[in-house]
Amino acid sequence: MKKTVYLFSGQGSQYSGMGKEICEMNPASLQIYECASDILGFDLAKICFDGEEAELAKTGVAQPAIMATSLAVLELMENEGIPFEAVAGHSLGEYAAMVASGMLSLEDGFRVIKERAAAMQECAEHQDGSMYAILGLDSDTIAEICASIDGYVVPVNYNSPAQTVIAGETPAVEAAVAAFEGKARRAAKLNVNAAFHSKLMQPAADRFKQAISGISFHTPAIDFYANLTGAKLEDFSDMPSYLASHLVSPVQFVKELNALQQAGFENYVELGPNKVLTGLVKKTLKDVTAVNVENKKTVEAALAKLQ
């Protein structure tokens, strides 16, 4: 039996209509949105199924919306009886992974993500930060160029061997982007209003850690692979500190995928809106199966490959 890891989508993957077909196929998945709505104080399913893109893009909406959609897909896949031996997520996706692994209850998962989104939104309003995906250039060269720029700009998301995201103070980021001309294939500006996973998010990390200090985290029932280390997480004794560090530290997704493959995982199944992580898996690993699950068509295709 091939070993399967479930991957959970990150921020920016949201779109209007996400999760609707999943709930039509599996009505139990709607309970995920209902739980989230009770904690958030607004109708999350309505926004996900019928909301405007601009509303969905707001950090306070996007983060719980993506998490709820990912967990709604998980509910369907579990009902289909598809076994999985590990979980991992990209940035925001780690929170759905925590719920999926049993580290957090569903209710606490949404309480935690509500606090994270609020802390990040407040921090974003008080900084001039931006992010770009640099394509077609190795991460070491990207790091060297960033280090040569006046001001603060650093690599923050190691997404694939050919894609690294940089973040920092907007003037420094734009100077770095200019320096990449003629070297990188492309520099794509991300639709965010802050420098996520950089030291500019420290005020958010401090507020977030304090806000979730009373939440109960449990040792997961299955393996949990972490962005912070790029390896299987072993120590769950102080998750508020881990998650605070996660906000200001690079996402080591390439290392994480390599660690999963070395551990024998062959099926990489992305649960949630869009297929960003599926694409990163295909660009990073060879001889593995990578599929995404987000609607009726992709459910059927995934089940055909996994069963």
Side-chain angles (χ1 to χ4, degrees), residues 143 145-147 149-155 166-169 172-176 180:
I145 291 174
C146 286
I149 301 296
D150 288 337
Y152 177 67
V153 54
V154 291
I166 63 170
E169 298 160 342
V173 171
E174 290 177 349
F180 290 127

Side-chain angles (χ1 to χ4, degrees), residues 45-82:
K46 185 177 180 180
I47 294 175
C48 287
F49 300 168
D50 304 305
E52 298 290 332
E53 298 287 353
E55 178 71 10
L56 264 175
K58 295 176 182 176
T59 293
V61 176
Q63 293 197 12
I66 293 164
M67 178 168 154
T69 301
S70 296
L71 293 173
V73 178
L74 174 68
E75 179 76 22
L76 181 150
M77 294 295 280
E78 289 187 320
N79 282 353
E80 292 288 344
I82 303 299

Side-chain angles (χ1 to χ4, degrees), residues 127-132 166-170 173-174 189 192-195:
Q127 66 164 263
D128 180 21
S130 53
M131 304 176 74
Y132 276 80
I166 63 170
E169 298 160 342
T170 295
V173 171
E174 290 177 349
K189 192 175 192 304
V192 296
N193 57 352

Side-chain angles (χ1 to χ4, degrees), residues 135-289:
L135 308 175
L137 194 62
D138 67 276
S139 59
D140 287 344
T141 302
I142 290 170
E144 288 171 10
I145 291 174
C146 286
S148 73
I149 301 296
D150 288 337
Y152 177 67
V153 54
V154 291
V156 293
N157 292 356
Y158 295 90
N159 287 341
S160 80
Q163 184 193 123
T164 301
V165 173
I166 63 170
E169 298 160 342
T170 295
V173 171
E174 290 177 349
V177 168
F180 290 127
E181 284 187 22
K183 300 180 178 71
R185 187 170 78 249
R186 189 161 68 93
K189 192 175 192 304
L190 302 191
N191 186 24
V192 296
N193 57 352
F196 298 149
H197 293 288
S198 79
K199 70 178 184 181
L200 297 182
M201 299 304 294
Q202 191 62 53
D206 295 340
R207 171 183 162 174
F208 181 45
K209 182 180 176 181
Q210 179 65 32
I212 63 170
S213 60
I215 295 287
S216 295
F217 292 85
H218 311 283
T219 301
I222 58 175
D223 292 345
F224 180 95
Y225 281 74
N227 292 167
L228 197 60
T229 62
K232 186 171 77 170
L233 195 61
E234 304 283 2
D235 182 2
F236 306 94
S237 61
D238 187 3
M239 288 306 293
S241 291
Y242 167 88
L243 293 174
S245 296
H246 184 248
L247 273 185
V248 296
S249 302
V251 173
Q252 299 286 355
F253 200 62
V254 172
K255 286 184 180 178
E256 205 170 332
L257 291 179
N258 286 326
L260 280 159
Q261 188 171 41
Q262 288 167 11
F265 286 90
E266 295 179 78
N267 292 331
Y268 295 74
V269 185
E270 180 179 4
L271 308 185
N274 268 310
K275 51 185 177 182
V276 174
L277 304 189
T278 305
L280 297 181
V281 172
K282 290 177 179 179
K283 288 180 174 68
T284 304
L285 304 179
K286 293 180 179 179
D287 303 318
V288 301
T289 298

